[in-house]
């Protein structure tokens, strides 16, 4: 008895392939993350802010105030999708490897702020950003336990939808009167607060 393989257009797609829309959403998320962290939703610019390094997390130090709770929460939330995306795109990585990548991304953003003189470099941000990313990774782990084989598809959809919603929120924010207008000064964040 001879069997023939189904035509290529009817073959099931391999389960380990990454959908293009997920990669595109991840790239879009990274672009938004960089823009939000470095330029606070303003047009990109370089220089104009004193280079400040705050090595003691959360508390006030000489010349530097304590971390603002709203900024801590925002930084935490901004990095949850990074952990989610890494958990879906690199499922074979051990959690500590993902933690190193999360901390490395955060450190790279903080160093970039220092080098370009566009914000303060704060250890608090590295700690909080990494914790946010690890929370996203924990969501991936719990989803895998609950949904089993369907987890990757569900998480991929969540990642794409979350990124599209973030893009919509950014567009609404830019269109609203809340953002800084031209000539508002570079020492303030998007809502008039200090840069971090």
């Amino acid at each position: 008895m001879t069997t023939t393989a189904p035509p290529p257009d009817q073959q099931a797609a391999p389960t380990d392939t990454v959908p293009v829309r997920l990669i595109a959403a991840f790239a879009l998320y990274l672009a938004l993350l960089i823009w939000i962290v470095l330029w606070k939703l303003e047009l990109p610019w370089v220089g104009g802010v004193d280079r400040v390094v705050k090595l003691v997390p959360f508390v006030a130090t000489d010349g530097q105030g304590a971390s603002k709770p709203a900024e801590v929460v925002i930084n935490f939330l901004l990095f949850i999708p990074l952990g989610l995306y890494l958990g879906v795109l690199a499922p074979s990585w051990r959690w500590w490897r993902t933690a190193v990548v999360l901390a490395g991304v955060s450190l790279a953003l903080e160093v970039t702020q220092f080098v370009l003189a566009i914000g303060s470099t704060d250890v608090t941000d590295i700690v909080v950003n990494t914790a946010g990313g690890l929370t996203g990774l924990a969501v991936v782990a719990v989803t895998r336990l609950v949904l089993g084989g369907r987890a990757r598809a569900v998480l991929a959809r969540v990642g794409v939808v979350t990124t599209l919603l973030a893009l919509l929120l950014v567009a609404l924010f830019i269109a609203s009167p809340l953002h800084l207008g031209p000539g508002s000064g570079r020492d303030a964040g998007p809502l008039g607060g200090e840069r971090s």
Side-chain angles (χ1 to χ4, degrees), residues 73-165:
V73 169
I74 289 169
N75 281 348
F76 181 82
L77 294 174
L78 282 173
F79 275 76
I80 290 175
L82 184 58
L84 189 142
Y85 275 118
L86 290 177
V88 172
L89 294 171
S92 63
W93 286 6
R94 297 203 179 255
W95 73 268
W96 57 265
R97 183 176 182 186
T98 305
V100 169
V101 170
L102 292 166
V105 168
S106 183
L107 178 63
L109 289 169
E110 293 300 307
V111 169
T112 301
Q113 287 184 97
F114 179 82
V115 170
L116 298 179
I118 56 175
S120 65
T121 301
D122 191 344
V123 171
T124 301
D125 293 343
I126 296 170
V127 171
V128 171
N129 297 347
T130 304
L134 287 173
T135 300
L137 188 62
V139 168
V140 171
V142 169
T143 305
R144 284 184 180 141
L145 286 174
V146 172
L147 297 179
R150 298 179 324 173
R152 187 169 190 200
V154 169
L155 289 167
R157 277 189 230 113
V158 168
V160 170
V161 169
T162 301
T163 300
L164 292 176
L165 285 174

